[in-house]
Amino acid sequence: MARSIRIHQLKLNYAQQVVFDGLDWAIGSGENWLLSGASGSGKTSLAKVLAGLTSSHGRMEVCFDAASPLPACVMYVESWYQFKNLEGVANFYYQQRYTSLQTKDVITVGAELEAFGAENGLQPGGLQQLASGFGFSNLMGSTLLELSSGEHKKLQLLKALWLKPQFLIIDQPYTGLDSRSRTVLNTLLDQAAASGVQLILISNGTELPACINRFAELVDGMLLQHNSSPQREEAAETPLAALPEFLRTRPAYATDEVVRMENVNISYGNKQVLKNITWEIRAGEKWLLQGHNGSGKSTLLSLINGDHPQAYANTIYLFGRRRGSGESIWDIKQHIGLISPELHWYFDAGATVFQSIASGFFDSIGLYRQPGYRQSRQVDELISFLGLSEHRNELLSTLPLGKQRLALLGRTIIKNPELLVLDEPCQGLDDRQTQHFNRLVDALSVNGMTLIYVGHFDAALPACIEKKIVLEQGEVKLAEDLFERI
Amino acid sequence: MANYFNTLPLREKLNQLGVCEFMDSAEFSDGVEALKGKKLVIVGCGAQGLNQGLNLRDSGLDISYALRKEAIESKRDSWKNATENNFRVGTYEELIPSADLVVNLTPDKQHTSVVNAVMPLMKQGATLLYSHGFNIVEEGMQVRKDITVIMVAPKCPGSEVRAEYARGFGVPTLIAVHPENDPEGKGLEQAKAYCVGTGGHRAGVLRSSFVAEVKSDLMGEQTILCGLLQTGSILSFDKMIEKGIEPGYASKLVQYGVEVITEALKQGGITAMMDRLSNVAKIKAFELSEELKTIMRPLFQKHQDDIMSGEFSRTMMEDWANGDEKLLTWRAATGETAFEKTPAGDVKIGEQEYFDNALLMVAFIRAGVELAFETMVEAGIKPESAYYESLHETPLIANTIARKKLFEMNRVISDTAEYGCYLFDHACKPLLADFMARIDTDVIGRNFNEGKDGAVDNRALISVNEVIRNHQVEQVGAELRKAMTAMKAIKTA
């Protein structure tokens, strides 16, 4: 019997909201699909229905090919992946991976993959080839906690490509991957398709593997089919609403020298992750920080945000003060608004949208102090500016990823900080949201905020960027002005 | 060395037992000022040592680690932990003489030898900090009169101390100054500053004394916290197996049940925990727990009496001298229990099911918390201290059982707590033999509400509710929980 998945009259509600009300979809033999749609359109919900992870009303039939050597299953690779420590708890904090600790309570990449292989009866040979293709071979001894967000994504992709299920659904396959890894991934996906895996990729991206031959888009709970990747119409430039008053003033700088690093070196045991970094950032500069996955970008930023223990043994000046001269990390953080995939990953699951944004005043992960009257007013102004008013009192973790991201972006700017550190801020946002967000960054930049921006997609950067620093294997490969100042 | 507490006249015993004040956050407005620019030297770099040091340094304080020469030369884990995080590390001789504050974060058992080694090296007028008062109170360590002796005890494992600080919060902490060693009157200010440095001031600080801390801590850990959780877990599991409940289910129900049940305790005390049961089930659990309290009260009293008289620490120190013979035998026996050896089954148990199907566990926990609290208060310990060492810590310990059962619990707690836990467990099980013979699976293993129409007598329910809600542990608890502003739901498996 031919391989297929058929969905008939699917109905699904999520938190009293109707997501699908009679959706039909037929996935035939040999078809590789792209599923796109705006943030919150139900892409992830639909994928979970296909994988049998969500119960829904309606009929779904999955037929596997009994003659195929591939495992008869539908595998779903989440965009958001949670792991636990050896004691079964997931009580991590985002700064944890920078601290050296002898007792390892989180398993290694190698052990994780070995367990996955044993569970599914897979040959180690297939893995080695995939891992080296992804530049992943030297990470086998690292614990899961030490991986960057891009490396976590690769680990999940490796498992899926090693297993080669008959149906493989990947939610946001390119998130967090550098451009070289995206090319490698497309080659590997084409190879998987050629060996009989049927793919369903959930993405709004345009760099797709050649094997994709069907295109669907979720719009208002319905599945629209297209002949090619749906052209995102150039979002009409809806004018940005006026910034809230408190964001229209220049942040108060104590000094013009925001960051100065001299010959900074960071290593764990014999593994050196940053080598001789010298970098200076002056008030109001807008920097782009780039580098491949694992090149040391997050470590570099952690030094600036007071999150790295080894900052104390290096020559680093932040906001005019030498690190390790008696300042506290809270003194540093009050100058900075930070977002990163790791911060989002380990954010307080019990915080509402309001609490999450308000916690930016105190630089805490979740809210532990009562904001004052004026602070609460600012939070509400920002919530309305970001279009999140209807979600004000909902738990952050229950919103679609794109909206969670927006709320955490609100958290970074709530105190109108001198320095904005945006580490892949648009992961999980759709094109329109990304564009909207970058225009917001541009608007903020006008008032003199200093910026460090990390992004892997050159086409999706704010216009205000004027300087660029590139890391390669822990070293500065390039630092330049992007254009002559006029 | 003589037991310090026993050298005191009764008036002074009561005076020190009675030090207990929940501190207002305004008391910490000077931040770390009292320790700013001072040299803090931590002795020991295990979980508490490393994590407290990371927090203190991130609060702007000057931290280094003094380790024994052998630990440095053979590059032990403690040496690696400290150096790889860029702390200065040196021998006692190198670092202690210049230290303004020496922080002793080694295990209880080593305190006497560590303090004897560092004391002659400490400069005039320096401060010695403990995180537990056993050495001072039970062993009677005499510290040089020019040295200030203080205690700062975060009430959580070291990893939590760091995790909560990094999130911008902290863990509840207890602080004290030893009245025999406060020559300059600076002890309290330094203890408060240290507490701010570890983040504890954000989560609630109780001012106590060395004596009150030791006598209540020992009582809590031996009885409700570890002892009764161990006894209750084993008896509940064995009963289910005896009555034919599937072992994987029984194992999971107990292992994760203690955590889920005590989560309600953490949020809203005994009242909230009992309110998770239906009315009929609540009345049944109440009756069982009343019966348990009557049976176990003499045992709780014996533990408290032995702690107060010093008998407990005397026998335990005998075991130390004996190479931990009893401790090691009991530890091995715990590893061999059927509960320990039966892995949790791959069955889904809903949150409410942990209450409905484990009514006996709820009864054990109510009986244990109330008994420990009542016994401590009767012995002269203040209700706030008694609350911390009974109800407050129960969910933290239950959390370790959920991770890896009793073995994990006994690994995480101190050797002192572990020794006391086994002592209690071995005396308690025979005491409950008759009671357990009458227990069936309606109260452990199956849903108590099944086949009942749920009807109760109004007056019976009202009087049960009154007894539960008007207990002193509930009144004190409501006040203290309000003060601990943010209590976060622990992540259940």
Side-chain angles (χ1 to χ4, degrees):
Chain A
M1 188 164 175
R3 217 193 295 178
S4 67
I5 299 180
R6 276 170 212 290
I7 289 180
H8 185 61
Q9 289 297 302
L10 173 73
K11 290 184 170 57
L12 183 72
N13 289 356
Y14 182 73
Q16 271 105 50
Q17 302 248 347
V18 178
V19 184
F20 306 121
D21 187 19
L23 181 144
D24 295 325
W25 194 6
I27 298 171
S29 175
E31 295 177 354
N32 293 307
W33 285 78
L34 173 75
L35 176 62
S36 61
S39 170
S41 58
K43 303 185 294 293
T44 296
S45 300
L46 183 55
K48 285 187 172 172
V49 170
L50 288 177
L53 299 171
T54 304
S55 54
S56 57
H57 294 284
R59 232 178 43 233
M60 184 172 83
E61 292 165 19
V62 183
C63 297
F64 294 106
D65 178 1
S68 164
L70 303 182
C73 67
V74 182
M75 181 177 185
Y76 170 62
V77 178
E78 313 177 70
S79 66
W80 209 234
Y81 157 73
Q82 295 288 356
F83 59 95
K84 292 183 170 180
N85 71 9
L86 293 177
E87 288 162 0
V89 279
N91 189 18
F92 302 113
Y93 50 102
Y94 79 91
Q95 306 94 324
Q96 199 170 353
R97 63 195 181 105
Y98 305 121
T99 303
S100 278
L101 188 62
Q102 290 310 306
T103 45
K104 306 282 182 217
D105 65 349
V106 178
I107 68 168
T108 61
V109 171
E112 167 93 2
L113 285 169
E114 199 177 300
F116 180 80
E119 198 180 310
N120 295 287
L122 302 173
Q123 297 301 319
L127 176 67
Q128 276 159 21
Q129 208 182 354
L130 287 166
S132 68
F134 252 150
F136 212 76
S137 308
N138 58 347
L139 291 173
M140 292 300 168
S142 304
T143 67
L144 296 184
L145 194 60
E146 292 167 69
L147 300 187
S148 70
S149 66
E151 289 163 344
H152 266 291
K153 177 57 92 181
K154 289 182 184 176
L155 174 61
Q156 297 316 302
L157 293 168
L158 275 183
K159 285 189 198 165
L161 293 167
W162 188 20
L163 178 67
K164 291 202 173 89
Q166 291 201 12
F167 291 101
L168 174 57
I169 310 170
I170 310 179
D171 203 345
Q172 307 292 356
Y174 306 104
T175 304
L177 297 190
D178 56 39
S179 84
R180 191 177 65 199
S181 303
R182 298 199 295 269
T183 311
V184 171
L185 174 61
N186 280 346
T187 312
L188 293 174
L189 288 173
D190 280 332
Q191 285 169 4
S195 68
V197 175
Q198 274 187 246
L199 298 170
I200 299 155
L201 304 185
I202 301 177
S203 172
N204 289 323
T206 44
E207 312 168 48
L208 299 169
C211 62
I212 296 295
N213 51 19
R214 292 289 187 280
F215 303 88
E217 183 182 14
L218 272 174
V219 179
D220 299 330
M222 305 299 285
L223 197 76
L224 307 181
Q225 298 204 21
H226 300 281
N227 292 326
S228 62
S229 182
Q231 286 302 310
R232 314 248 119 219
E233 64 235 55
E234 276 304 310
E237 291 258 329
T238 44
L240 206 59
L243 283 175
E245 184 64 35
F246 69 92
L247 287 174
R248 272 183 268 161
T249 48
R250 179 179 156 89
Y253 286 98
T255 161
D256 187 49
E257 183 190 87
V258 174
V259 176
R260 180 152 60 93
M261 298 185 182
E262 293 169 10
N263 281 314
V264 166
N265 286 284
I266 300 290
S267 51
Y268 305 109
N270 299 324
K271 187 175 156 196
Q272 190 160 13
V273 290
L274 289 181
K275 288 174 211 155
N276 300 325
I277 304 280
T278 295
W279 190 18
E280 199 177 310
I281 301 175
R282 308 202 73 83
E285 289 180 345
K286 324 288 181 220
W287 283 86
L288 175 67
L289 167 60
Q290 286 192 317
H292 57 80
N293 294 129
S295 61
K297 299 186 297 297
S298 297
T299 307
L300 184 61
L301 295 176
S302 75
L303 291 168
I304 294 173
N305 198 45
D307 289 334
H308 204 300
Q310 294 188 36
Y312 293 98
N314 278 289
T315 309
I316 300 172
Y317 289 82
L318 299 175
F319 307 96
R321 181 155 190 189
R322 171 94 194 249
R323 270 304 261 138
S325 64
E327 79 295 346
S328 83
I329 56 169
W330 311 108
D331 296 338
I332 296 167
K333 287 172 190 281
Q334 66 175 353
H335 299 283
I336 302 174
L338 169 100
I339 186 172
S340 70
E342 290 80 15
L343 178 136
H344 188 173
W345 214 334
Y346 302 128
F347 204 78
D348 181 4
T352 64
V353 168
F354 179 90
Q355 290 168 333
S356 303
I357 296 178
S359 72
F361 280 118
F362 311 110
D363 306 303
S364 53
I365 304 300
L367 189 63
Y368 308 108
R369 275 177 266 182
Q370 279 310 307
Y373 171 72
R374 196 176 55 86
Q375 290 176 324
S376 300
R377 280 265 307 271
Q378 283 187 14
V379 174
D380 278 328
E381 277 176 57
L382 192 55
I383 286 178
S384 126
F385 174 76
L386 295 171
L388 292 168
S389 297
E390 59 177 314
H391 304 298
R392 183 185 186 275
N393 297 319
E394 289 174 30
L395 289 184
L396 184 74
S397 52
T398 61
L399 301 186
L401 208 52
K403 289 189 172 167
Q404 292 186 33
R405 213 20 93 103
L406 267 183
L408 288 179
L409 292 167
R411 179 182 178 275
T412 65
I413 55 176
I414 188 64
K415 59 186 175 187
N416 197 21
E418 290 131 271
L419 173 62
L420 203 51
V421 179
L422 304 174
D423 185 354
E424 299 193 49
C426 294
Q427 266 195 17
L429 299 192
D430 63 33
D431 292 356
R432 215 165 43 82
Q433 286 170 321
T434 300
Q435 217 175 69
H436 185 79
F437 173 71
N438 284 336
R439 280 195 292 138
L440 169 63
V441 173
D442 285 334
L444 288 166
S445 76
V446 171
N447 300 318
M449 209 177 264
T450 311
L451 175 70
I452 306 173
Y453 193 104
V454 180
H456 287 304
F457 293 84
D458 284 333
L461 297 174
C464 65
I465 301 286
E466 54 189 17
K467 284 166 171 286
K468 177 165 147 177
I469 183 166
V470 181
L471 292 185
E472 193 172 283
Q473 290 176 350
E475 287 182 277
V476 177
K477 184 186 166 202
L478 172 79
E480 62 175 13
D481 283 355
L482 289 185
F483 52 81
E484 294 292 325
R485 286 195 199 213
I486 304 163
Chain B
M1 291 186 294
N3 183 306
Y4 168 70
F5 186 67
N6 290 350
T7 65
L8 298 174
L10 176 62
R11 166 180 27 84
E12 189 54 24
K13 280 184 179 168
L14 293 175
N15 187 20
Q16 293 197 28
L17 275 176
V19 180
C20 177
E21 177 204 347
F22 193 79
M23 299 181 79
D24 191 275
S25 57
E27 299 219 40
F28 297 93
S29 54
D30 284 341
V32 296
E33 209 49 47
L35 292 174
K36 200 93 194 178
K38 302 249 187 291
K39 291 216 169 307
L40 277 65
V41 175
I42 300 178
V43 182
C45 194
Q48 284 291 351
L50 174 64
N51 288 303
Q52 289 190 28
L54 286 165
N55 290 1
L56 293 160
R57 180 172 64 177
D58 279 348
S59 296
L61 298 175
D62 179 352
I63 307 297
S64 43
Y65 286 87
L67 301 177
R68 282 178 303 127
K69 211 181 218 133
E70 308 88 82
I72 296 173
E73 278 166 0
S74 55
K75 303 194 171 181
R76 300 238 174 95
D77 281 356
S78 58
W79 179 84
K80 285 189 193 150
N81 280 340
T83 45
E84 289 189 3
N85 291 298
N86 287 147
F87 286 104
R88 184 167 170 228
V89 181
T91 59
Y92 292 2
E93 289 74 16
E94 285 164 349
L95 294 178
I96 303 292
S98 60
D100 297 294
L101 175 67
V102 175
V103 183
N104 173 17
L105 293 178
T106 56
D108 279 354
K109 227 175 271 185
Q110 296 172 20
H111 281 190
T112 297
S113 68
V114 167
V115 174
N116 282 334
V118 300
M119 201 163 30
L121 299 170
M122 285 174 72
K123 69 178 177 192
Q124 282 283 315
T127 300
L128 176 63
L129 184 148
Y130 283 91
S131 63
H132 186 33
F134 192 88
N135 183 236
I136 292 283
V137 176
E138 301 293 320
E139 296 186 89
M141 171 61 72
Q142 299 287 319
V143 180
R144 228 171 58 207
K145 284 300 165 194
D146 61 290
I147 293 176
T148 303
V149 175
I150 60 177
M151 174 173 14
V152 178
K155 299 265 110 186
C156 269
S159 54
E160 291 295 298
V161 171
R162 180 62 180 162
E164 292 304 328
Y165 179 87
R167 293 188 183 110
F169 193 48
V171 304
T173 301
L174 200 147
I175 66 176
V177 180
H178 187 37
E180 311 292 337
N181 282 85
D182 192 17
E184 301 167 42
K186 67 184 178 190
L188 183 61
E189 287 311 310
Q190 290 192 336
K192 275 158 54 179
Y194 189 95
C195 189
V196 172
T198 56
H201 67 301
R202 300 203 179 101
V205 182
L206 190 74
R207 188 181 164 197
S208 180
S209 69
F210 275 67
V211 164
E213 189 272 339
V214 169
K215 300 298 185 186
S216 59
D217 184 70
L218 289 175
M219 179 63 185
E221 67 195 17
Q222 290 175 19
T223 57
I224 170 62
L225 298 179
C226 310
L228 189 67
L229 286 183
Q230 169 148 349
T231 305
S233 298
I234 292 173
L235 291 180
S236 297
F237 179 80
D238 289 350
K239 175 58 70 176
M240 285 191 270
I241 299 309
E242 174 200 327
K243 298 284 180 180
I245 302 276
E246 200 272 312
Y249 179 87
S251 176
K252 184 165 186 180
L253 186 69
V254 172
Q255 181 175 355
Y256 296 102
V258 285
E259 187 181 47
V260 174
I261 291 167
T262 56
E263 175 63 16
L265 192 70
K266 175 165 114 185
Q267 305 286 338
I270 305 273
T271 305
M273 177 180 78
M274 297 295 280
D275 282 350
R276 292 299 307 267
L277 298 168
S278 71
N279 289 333
V280 270
K282 187 202 278 184
I283 291 175
K284 179 71 178 174
F286 177 81
E287 288 167 359
L288 288 175
S289 56
E290 288 292 300
E291 203 181 332
L292 283 167
K293 281 177 77 172
T294 308
I295 301 170
M296 297 190 298
R297 189 179 300 275
L299 181 61
F300 275 66
Q301 286 170 342
K302 180 181 181 343
H303 275 260
Q304 185 71 77
D305 293 347
D306 287 349
I307 289 165
M308 286 296 180
S309 70
E311 178 64 12
F312 166 76
S313 47
R314 190 189 63 77
T315 49
M316 183 180 68
M317 286 188 282
E318 266 175 22
D319 197 47
W320 290 359
N322 227 346
D324 291 324
E325 192 189 337
K326 283 188 196 164
L327 180 74
L328 295 175
T329 313
W330 291 336
R331 184 185 288 170
T334 300
E336 293 301 312
T337 57
F339 170 57
E340 207 60 34
K341 296 195 124 180
T342 311
D346 189 16
V347 277
K348 173 98 185 128
I349 302 184
E351 206 249 359
Q352 183 58 37
E353 191 176 339
Y354 280 113
F355 290 89
D356 293 338
N357 292 27
L359 194 153
L360 178 67
M361 296 289 297
V362 176
F364 267 123
I365 291 166
R366 171 179 179 252
V369 168
E370 290 190 359
L371 267 181
F373 179 87
E374 289 166 21
T375 314
M376 282 190 246
V377 172
E378 280 165 11
I381 293 165
K382 293 283 170 187
E384 289 83 357
S385 300
Y387 172 84
Y388 262 91
E389 302 297 345
S390 57
L391 197 152
H392 173 78
E393 284 212 26
T394 306
L396 299 174
I397 302 294
N399 185 243
T400 64
I401 297 179
R403 291 181 198 182
K404 272 196 210 153
K405 300 192 171 173
L406 301 171
F407 177 80
E408 171 69 4
M409 173 184 85
N410 285 310
R411 186 182 68 79
V412 169
I413 62 179
S414 68
D415 281 3
T416 310
E418 187 180 359
Y419 181 91
C421 164
Y422 298 141
L423 205 61
F424 177 93
D425 182 45
H426 289 117
C428 192
K429 279 198 218 116
L431 208 56
L432 291 174
D434 289 346
F435 171 86
M436 285 307 296
R438 283 177 274 123
I439 292 294
D440 208 336
T441 52
D442 59 337
V443 296
I444 184 73
R446 298 190 202 286
N447 190 338
F448 182 77
N449 302 298
E450 226 164 71
K452 300 191 175 60
D453 66 1
V456 289
D457 176 59
N458 278 326
R459 282 182 301 176
L461 182 64
I462 291 165
S463 70
V464 164
N465 279 336
E466 265 176 13
V467 175
I468 295 170
R469 286 167 198 176
N470 291 331
H471 195 282
Q472 196 180 12
V473 76
E474 291 300 275
Q475 288 161 0
V476 173
E479 278 301 305
L480 291 181
R481 284 193 296 272
K482 203 162 32 163
M484 291 178 240
T485 41
M487 289 221 279
K488 297 182 288 91
I490 45 173
K491 283 104 192 142
T492 46

